[in-house]
């Protein structure tokens, strides 16, 4: 027994004592060599960095224990850690901005190319079908495509006015050609176009072609324009949302996360993953775009399916020439009935003197029917840019980013500069006060859960005004796209005329395709064009009465009635007190 006691006394000095406690890393070594090397490489002045640990009573954010940081170093580190955090957030979302920008560019190129292709096809076919008659009136047709581009690009005059004016000007040009023995004054031509645009549709010189063209081209152009604007809005909103505005509470939390290990003299000790997630959730949960993000993606996909399906932009663009030609053929075939009705309503025009009568166009040109062109001469889309392929790619990419904002804190904390790897959770890490394990609860990303966030104050988790404004813009884009999927243009919709005060706007059947029977729009009251000046025979520029409507240039949003109510409620929900 005595021998055993003697052996234990001899081995006792060799046994290790208790493990290091809180702050023990400062007691083990009082060197700041690693901190000086790292901060010196970043451009910090070594004269401000003590060679050994000093008292930390002057620190404002980091633990006031032994430290390698002066007040100046702590302040500068706060700026640097904030910049690093913001940079990681922007870097994590850069692919999303790039994806939206690329989709916007590709779809925009396809839509523009389709319009150019349709214009080229019309010029080729009409020149072959009508010859000199078309050449003399080329500006009329090119002007129609110019106004379609104006609407698509910069929200100029409404599509309805552009199409009505085109048919009115076409009638002014074609009707005198049918009666070269008469003189048609500007007043007489004005009566002619007013009669053609009357509410009872008593005179339909071009048959049903204007209505069918209006239905098809309007819904396709409205959908394409709302879709492009939706992609553009999403790109801009996401880009701005990734520029995280850091509150004072978030700056302190990020400094404790990644800056204080340097001041503590343990720069190689990575922050605990739970610590990082709490900080990231507290700083980012209020800056994301959820729940409006999911509704926005649904609106994009829904409208994309319409553009390649029932609202086919390519089919609508290529049908312009077909519908115009059908209208001209109807006018030729029914010229006697149309002329009789015009002469009854507007009176008989005076006859032209024999020597000044216009020579009629050659019969082979006037009577020549429209025929389809050769397929190989029709411009083709660039390889890889077909609309179905672009829609398929968009659907695939949007599916990947649906949970982007919820997963953004995980992406940030996945960077090795921000936290230890998930595989090293059992290893000691930086807890905010020293080496150990992070034992505080890790909260989720919802705003409600931020009330229990142990790292970031709840005041710092409330959405700021800029974030609420961005969400409102995203919500407005979603409303526009959903309305466009119903064939409605919220920016230029005329509630009084097109809905007869019902507030429902125009709707188009999803299964209506080119050449099929269209859903009849509400009755339109007469809107006779007026001329700016006397003009010539059939050559004046038609200027339409605004009928009390306000037209705005640019891409500003002019919501009416229902959209205003929707956005007002959205604004109150987003901007109201929390």
């Amino acid at each position: 027994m005595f021998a055993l006691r003697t052996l234990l006394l001899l081995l006792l000095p060799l046994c290790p004592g208790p493990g290091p406690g809180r702050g023990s890393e400062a007691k083990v070594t009082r060197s700041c060599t690693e901190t000086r090397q790292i901060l010196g490489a970043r451009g910090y002045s070594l004269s401000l960095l003590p060679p050994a640990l000093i008292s930390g009573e002057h620190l404002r954010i980091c633990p006031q224990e032994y430290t390698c940081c002066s007040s100046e170093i702590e302040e500068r580190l706060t700026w640097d850690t904030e910049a690093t955090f913001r940079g990681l957030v922007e870097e994590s979302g850069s692919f999303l901005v790039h994806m939206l920008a690329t989709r916007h560019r590709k779809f925009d190129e396809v839509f523009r190319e389709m319009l150019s292709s349709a214009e080229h096809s019309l010029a080729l076919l009409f020149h072959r079908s009508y010859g000199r008659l078309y050449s003399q009136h080329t500006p009329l047709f090119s002007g129609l495509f110019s106004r379609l581009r104006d609407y698509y690009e910069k929200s100029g005059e409404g599509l309805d006015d552009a199409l009505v004016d085109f048919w009115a000007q076409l009638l002014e040009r074609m009707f005198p050609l049918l009666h070269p023995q008469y003189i048609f004054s500007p007043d007489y031509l004005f009566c002619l176009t007013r009669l053609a645009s009357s509410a009872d549709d008593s005179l339909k010189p071009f048959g049903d072609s204007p209505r069918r063209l209006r239905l098809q081209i309007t819904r396709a152009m409205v959908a394409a324009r709302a879709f492009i604007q939706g992609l553009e809005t999403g790109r801009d909103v996401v880009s701005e949302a990734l520029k995280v505005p850091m509150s004072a509470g978030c700056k302190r939390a990020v400094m404790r996360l990644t800056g204080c290990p340097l001041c503590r003299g343990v720069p190689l000790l990575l922050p605990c993953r739970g610590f990082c997630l709490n900080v990231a959730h507290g700083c980012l949960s209020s800056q994301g775009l959820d729940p409006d993000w999911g509704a926005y993606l649904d609106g994009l996909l829904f409208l994309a399916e319409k553009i390649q399906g029932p609202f086919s932009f390519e089919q609508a663009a290529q049908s312009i020439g077909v519908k115009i030609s059908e209208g001209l053929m109807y006018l030729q075939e029914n010229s006697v009935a149309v002329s009789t009705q015009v002469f009854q309503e507007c009176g008989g025009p005076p006859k032209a003197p024999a020597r000044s009568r216009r020579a009629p166009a050659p019969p082979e040109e006037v009577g020549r029917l429209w025929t389809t062109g050769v397929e190989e001469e029709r411009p083709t889309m660039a390889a890889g840019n077909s609309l179905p392929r672009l829609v398929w790619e968009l659907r695939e990419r949007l599916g990947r980013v649906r949970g982007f904002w919820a997963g953004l804190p995980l992406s940030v904390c996945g960077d090795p500069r921000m936290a230890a790897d998930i595989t090293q959770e059992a290893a000691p890490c930086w807890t905010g006060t020293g080496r150990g394990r992070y034992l505080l609860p890790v909260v989720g990303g919802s705003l409600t859960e931020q009330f229990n966030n142990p790292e970031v104050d709840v005041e710092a988790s409330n959405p700021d005004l800029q974030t609420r404004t961005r969400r409102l813009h995203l919500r407005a884009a979603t409303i526009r796209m959903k309305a466009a999927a119903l064939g409605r243009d919220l920016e230029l919709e005329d509630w009084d005329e097109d809905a007869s005060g019902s507030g429902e706007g125009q709707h188009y059947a999803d299964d209506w395709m080119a050449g099929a029977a269209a859903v009849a729009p509400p009755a339109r009251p007469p809107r006779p064009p007026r001329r700016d000046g006397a003009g010539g025979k059939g050559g004046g520029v038609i200027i339409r009465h605004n009928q009390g409507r306000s037209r705005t240039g640019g891409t500003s949003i002019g919501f009416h009635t229902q959209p205003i109510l929707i956005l007002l409620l959205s604004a109150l929900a987003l901007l109201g007190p929390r």
Side-chain angles (χ1 to χ4, degrees), residues 139-273:
L140 174 62
F141 298 92
S142 60
L144 172 62
F145 282 94
S146 295
R147 294 180 71 174
L148 294 180
R149 289 191 184 92
D150 287 342
Y151 170 81
Y152 173 76
E153 294 173 358
K154 55 190 177 185
S155 181
E157 190 174 356
L159 284 175
D160 183 68
D161 286 345
L163 294 172
V164 169
D165 288 348
F166 167 77
W167 290 108
Q169 294 183 55
L170 185 63
L171 179 61
E172 288 184 348
R173 309 290 178 88
M174 295 298 105
F175 193 78
L177 293 178
L178 298 175
H179 305 281
Q181 70 274 24
Y182 294 114
I183 296 178
F184 295 94
S185 65
D187 291 338
Y188 196 96
L189 293 177
F190 178 76
C191 175
L192 172 67
T193 55
R194 182 177 57 184
L195 181 63
S197 61
S198 60
D200 56 1
D201 283 336
S202 57
L203 179 67
K204 300 175 67 173
F206 299 106
D208 202 38
S209 296
R211 183 180 65 87
R212 294 175 59 191
L213 177 61
R214 173 176 170 267
L215 287 173
Q216 189 169 12
I217 198 65
T218 297
R219 67 177 189 174
M221 290 290 292
V222 167
R225 184 169 174 272
F227 183 76
I228 288 296
Q229 287 183 339
L231 286 172
E232 184 178 14
T233 299
R235 177 200 64 193
D236 296 340
V237 168
V238 170
S239 178
E240 290 298 322
L242 291 173
K243 299 174 183 177
V244 182
M246 299 281 286
S247 64
C250 284
K251 293 177 182 178
R252 290 192 300 268
V254 172
M255 175 60 186
R256 291 198 310 271
L257 179 69
T258 58
C260 290
L262 288 163
C263 292
R264 201 74 179 94
V266 286
L268 301 181
L269 183 62
L270 295 177
C272 299
R273 184 174 178 81

Side-chain angles (χ1 to χ4, degrees), residues 378-453:
R378 175 178 171 178
T380 57
M381 303 299 298
N385 275 349
S386 64
L387 199 55
R389 178 179 178 84
L390 287 179
V391 173
W392 179 84
E393 292 176 350
L394 179 71
R395 188 188 307 112
E396 181 187 22
R397 284 164 173 77
L398 292 186
R400 301 175 186 174
V401 301
R402 185 169 293 273
F404 170 77
W405 299 105
L408 185 57
L410 292 174
S411 300
V412 171
C413 292
D415 189 277
R417 291 172 291 178
M418 299 300 296
D421 190 80
I422 192 172
T423 59
Q424 302 175 353
E425 283 187 321
C429 53
W430 174 255
T431 65
T433 56
R435 183 192 303 269
R437 299 185 63 183
Y438 191 73
L439 302 179
L440 296 176
V442 179
V443 300
S446 67
L447 293 178
T448 304
E449 293 176 288
Q450 297 312 304
F451 283 95
N452 299 319
N453 195 321

Side-chain angles (χ1 to χ4, degrees), residues 75-353:
E75 183 177 2
R76 181 172 174 182
L77 268 178
T78 303
W79 298 338
D80 288 350
T81 54
E82 175 191 356
T84 300
F85 183 82
R86 292 170 60 114
L88 282 174
V89 172
E90 291 193 45
E91 181 181 342
S92 299
S94 60
F95 81 95
L96 180 55
V97 177
H98 177 73
M99 184 271 291
L100 291 173
T102 302
R103 296 301 100 189
H104 173 271
R105 176 178 56 82
K106 289 188 175 182
F107 274 99
D108 182 59
E109 289 175 353
V110 167
F111 291 148
R112 291 176 185 272
E113 189 174 354
M114 286 179 179
L115 274 179
S116 298
S117 174
E119 184 176 12
H120 179 77
S121 297
L122 183 146
L124 180 66
L125 298 174
F126 273 44
H127 186 272
R128 181 175 297 174
S129 300
Y130 298 104
R132 185 171 60 89
L133 289 178
Y134 171 72
S135 300
Q136 292 175 347
H137 304 288
T138 299
L140 174 62
F141 298 92
S142 60
L144 172 62
F145 282 94
S146 295
R147 294 180 71 174
L148 294 180
R149 289 191 184 92
D150 287 342
Y151 170 81
Y152 173 76
E153 294 173 358
K154 55 190 177 185
S155 181
E157 190 174 356
L159 284 175
D160 183 68
D161 286 345
L163 294 172
V164 169
D165 288 348
F166 167 77
W167 290 108
Q169 294 183 55
L170 185 63
L171 179 61
E172 288 184 348
R173 309 290 178 88
M174 295 298 105
F175 193 78
L177 293 178
L178 298 175
H179 305 281
Q181 70 274 24
Y182 294 114
I183 296 178
F184 295 94
S185 65
D187 291 338
Y188 196 96
L189 293 177
F190 178 76
C191 175
L192 172 67
T193 55
R194 182 177 57 184
L195 181 63
S197 61
S198 60
D200 56 1
D201 283 336
S202 57
L203 179 67
K204 300 175 67 173
F206 299 106
D208 202 38
S209 296
R211 183 180 65 87
R212 294 175 59 191
L213 177 61
R214 173 176 170 267
L215 287 173
Q216 189 169 12
I217 198 65
T218 297
R219 67 177 189 174
M221 290 290 292
V222 167
R225 184 169 174 272
F227 183 76
I228 288 296
Q229 287 183 339
L231 286 172
E232 184 178 14
T233 299
R235 177 200 64 193
D236 296 340
V237 168
V238 170
S239 178
E240 290 298 322
L242 291 173
K243 299 174 183 177
V244 182
M246 299 281 286
S247 64
C250 284
K251 293 177 182 178
R252 290 192 300 268
V254 172
M255 175 60 186
R256 291 198 310 271
L257 179 69
T258 58
C260 290
L262 288 163
C263 292
R264 201 74 179 94
V266 286
L268 301 181
L269 183 62
L270 295 177
C272 299
R273 184 174 178 81
F275 183 19
C276 178
L277 288 175
N278 276 340
V279 173
H281 279 305
C283 293
L284 297 177
S285 61
S286 62
Q287 309 301 328
L289 300 176
D290 286 333
D292 299 300
W293 178 247
Y296 165 76
L297 297 182
D298 291 337
L300 271 179
L301 291 174
F302 182 54
L303 191 54
E305 295 294 340
K306 290 297 187 74
I307 289 175
Q308 73 162 349
F311 288 15
S312 172
F313 187 89
E314 182 176 15
Q315 188 176 17
Q318 292 297 337
S319 71
I320 296 176
V322 177
K323 296 296 189 296
I324 295 175
S325 181
E326 290 175 352
L328 291 174
M329 287 165 39
Y330 183 92
L331 178 62
Q332 293 175 9
E333 295 171 357
N334 299 272
S335 60
V336 175
V338 172
S339 300
T340 301
Q341 186 174 355
V342 171
F343 292 159
Q344 289 178 350
E345 297 291 338
C346 299
K351 289 189 175 182

Side-chain angles (χ1 to χ4, degrees), residues 447-524:
L447 293 178
T448 304
E449 293 176 288
Q450 297 312 304
F451 283 95
N452 299 319
N453 195 321
E455 304 297 343
V456 183
D457 295 337
V458 67
E459 291 78 13
S461 298
N462 288 327
D464 58 7
L465 180 59
Q466 292 180 346
T467 300
R468 298 178 188 180
T469 303
R470 285 191 288 267
R471 293 179 182 177
L472 188 60
H473 288 165
L474 201 65
R475 191 173 298 181
T478 304
I479 293 174
R480 286 198 304 269
M481 290 188 292
K482 289 183 177 180
L486 299 176
R488 296 167 51 188
D489 184 0
L490 294 187
E491 295 190 9
L492 295 174
E493 193 171 49
D494 192 330
W495 297 90
D496 291 334
E497 290 186 2
D498 292 336
S500 300
S502 64
E504 292 298 328
Q506 293 188 55
H507 295 265
Y508 303 96
D510 288 350
D511 57 352
W512 182 79
M513 305 299 290
V519 178
R524 302 174 52 84

